[in-house]
Amino acid sequence: MSKLVIVGTVAFDAIETPFGKTDKILGGAATYIGLAASQFNVDAAAVSVVGGDFPQDYLDLLSDRQVDISGIEIVKEGKTFFWSGKYHNDMNTRDTLATELNVLADFQPVVPTEYRDAKIVMLGNLHPLVQLSVLEQMETKPELVILDTMNFWMDCALDDLLNVIKKVDVITINDEEARQLTGEYSLVVAARKIHDMGPEYVVIKKGEHGALLFHNEKVFYAPALPLEEVFDPTGAGDTFAGGFAGYLAKSDDVTFENMKNAVIYGSTLASFCVEKFGTERMVNLKSSDVQKRLQQFKSLTQFDIELT
Ligand code: AMP
């Protein structure tokens, strides 16, 4: 088992979907990644920042699941990062209504000393300079650095983002963001261009249409599980990333072959995340639920054609 460092937002989210609307609830990339990775009982630490307005109960959700939170700074006089979004009827697309950086604006991350030798680093969504600073604090070169980002940072910090992208092994990005980053419509061409920017592995997430893993000329595809109920896709991408990173940390194997399994774990966990608003489903997720769904996943894609 490898140590895992997670960086990302810990946030308040206000979400609107065709099924309802929430006030400020728990959200943030590091929250979803931490909850997903905790399914693998790995030795993980979250690095982030919150304001004095952030309830201790929310932080406890991570520490109760053995995610070290000593790297989550609390700025007593500050306000927590706030994001608000509204989903379209197809639930695959959304508009961001508000992004208030608050304490994130001046955040100087500090990786806890005991985690500076972690083998896996998951750079979740936040300012690319914060992602870079976390990487620079690592005392031994991590075996695998995974980066997740979004259009917001492409719009307001593209040069910094390109600089971090250069330094990572894996990028997880959604289809529209891959197109924005490369100016290419074809995801195969986009993946090749992102590959040329630095990452050896490119994961393109396609919402309810699954995820693609590219490595040189090789490609692997995992569908998303067809679900009866999708209430709120918020955090699905982060949950995918947390499942991907958590599985790799647990299995101590960062080959392309094992990354295929990591994509399946990521997709499986993301399929739970969308079933309830916010983090609710992930907080109540049991490992027996995960095992059952992995079996469904296997049946969904298993076939037996004899090639002549
Ligand atoms: P996802 O649905 O996987 O893209 O992640 C949604 C989560 O990302 C929400 O919980 C937000 O708090 C968080 N988020 C939204 N915008 C940003 C941003 N610009 N940087 C970092 N985290 C963000």
Side-chain angles (χ1 to χ4, degrees):
M1 187 180 314
S2 309
K3 280 191 210 167
L4 171 67
V5 167
I6 297 163
V7 60
T9 43
V10 171
F12 285 131
D13 289 349
I15 303 159
E16 195 174 333
T17 81
F19 302 103
K21 208 174 159 172
T22 68
D23 235 345
K24 282 187 176 181
I25 57 169
L26 171 64
T31 309
Y32 284 104
I33 294 169
L35 289 173
S38 73
Q39 284 293 326
F40 301 92
N41 298 316
V42 286
D43 187 3
V47 177
S48 192
V49 63
V50 293
D53 54 352
F54 199 72
Q56 183 62 40
D57 286 2
Y58 283 176
L59 292 174
D60 292 346
L61 283 178
L62 288 177
S63 54
D64 288 351
R65 288 165 179 74
Q66 318 312 326
V67 178
D68 183 297
I69 56 165
S70 60
I72 303 186
E73 187 190 342
I74 302 172
V75 181
K76 283 219 174 72
E77 63 289 357
K79 277 174 71 181
T80 300
F81 173 79
F82 171 67
W83 175 78
S84 154
K86 182 175 176 177
Y87 287 86
H88 300 170
N89 280 340
D90 68 1
M91 297 283 259
N92 259 337
T93 48
R94 71 183 176 203
D95 295 324
T96 288
L97 305 177
T99 302
E100 295 172 12
L101 295 180
N102 299 327
V103 288
L104 194 66
D106 307 308
F107 178 44
Q108 308 283 338
V110 179
V111 179
T113 324
E114 319 82 87
Y115 286 90
R116 291 187 183 182
D117 60 351
K119 283 200 189 150
I120 303 210
V121 177
M122 176 68 236
L123 302 175
N125 194 9
L126 43 52
H127 198 297
L129 287 179
V130 176
Q131 295 175 318
L132 190 64
S133 164
V134 163
L135 260 195
E136 284 169 348
Q137 289 173 50
M138 300 308 290
E139 281 163 7
T140 49
K141 191 175 170 347
E143 250 171 43
L144 197 77
V145 180
I146 307 158
L147 176 125
D148 189 55
T149 190
M150 72 187 285
N151 51 359
F152 181 83
W153 304 112
M154 291 174 202
D155 295 337
C156 73
L158 183 61
D159 288 346
D160 294 328
L161 179 61
L162 290 174
N163 195 20
V164 193
I165 289 178
K166 244 190 260 171
K167 298 178 167 43
V168 307
D169 306 293
V170 185
I171 184 169
T172 66
I173 192 169
N174 78 26
D175 43 4
E176 279 320 306
E177 289 155 358
R179 290 184 173 119
Q180 176 172 346
L181 187 62
T182 59
E184 296 290 344
Y185 184 79
S186 154
L187 294 179
V188 177
V189 179
R192 196 178 305 133
K193 278 200 171 177
I194 297 172
H195 197 41
D196 291 343
M197 293 175 187
E200 243 190 278
Y201 302 89
V202 178
V203 178
I204 300 187
K205 300 167 285 182
K206 290 156 55 69
E208 67 170 329
H209 304 298
L212 291 155
L213 165 67
F214 294 90
H215 175 53
N216 299 325
E217 295 309 308
K218 292 188 242 176
V219 54
F220 173 71
Y221 171 67
L225 205 69
L227 294 171
E228 258 177 56
E229 291 178 344
V230 176
F231 273 104
D232 171 20
T234 307
D238 305 314
T239 300
F240 175 93
F244 183 85
Y247 173 77
L248 291 175
K250 184 181 172 195
S251 55
D252 242 340
D253 172 355
V254 296
T255 58
F256 176 72
E257 283 310 308
N258 198 43
M259 272 186 209
K260 294 180 184 176
N261 293 339
V263 167
I264 297 293
Y265 267 100
S267 304
T268 303
L269 291 174
S271 78
F272 288 106
C273 176
V274 302
E275 288 182 336
K276 295 253 155 74
F277 269 106
T279 54
E280 193 184 337
R281 186 66 181 98
M282 295 312 290
V283 165
N284 295 306
L285 188 60
K286 294 200 284 296
S287 72
S288 54
D289 300 330
V290 178
Q291 289 307 312
K292 231 187 268 167
R293 200 157 280 187
L294 277 169
Q295 185 54 55
Q296 282 174 273
F297 235 104
K298 244 183 144 169
S299 315
L300 178 71
T301 49
Q302 217 160 30
F303 57 88
D304 198 9
I305 293 179
E306 271 194 38
L307 295 175
T308 51

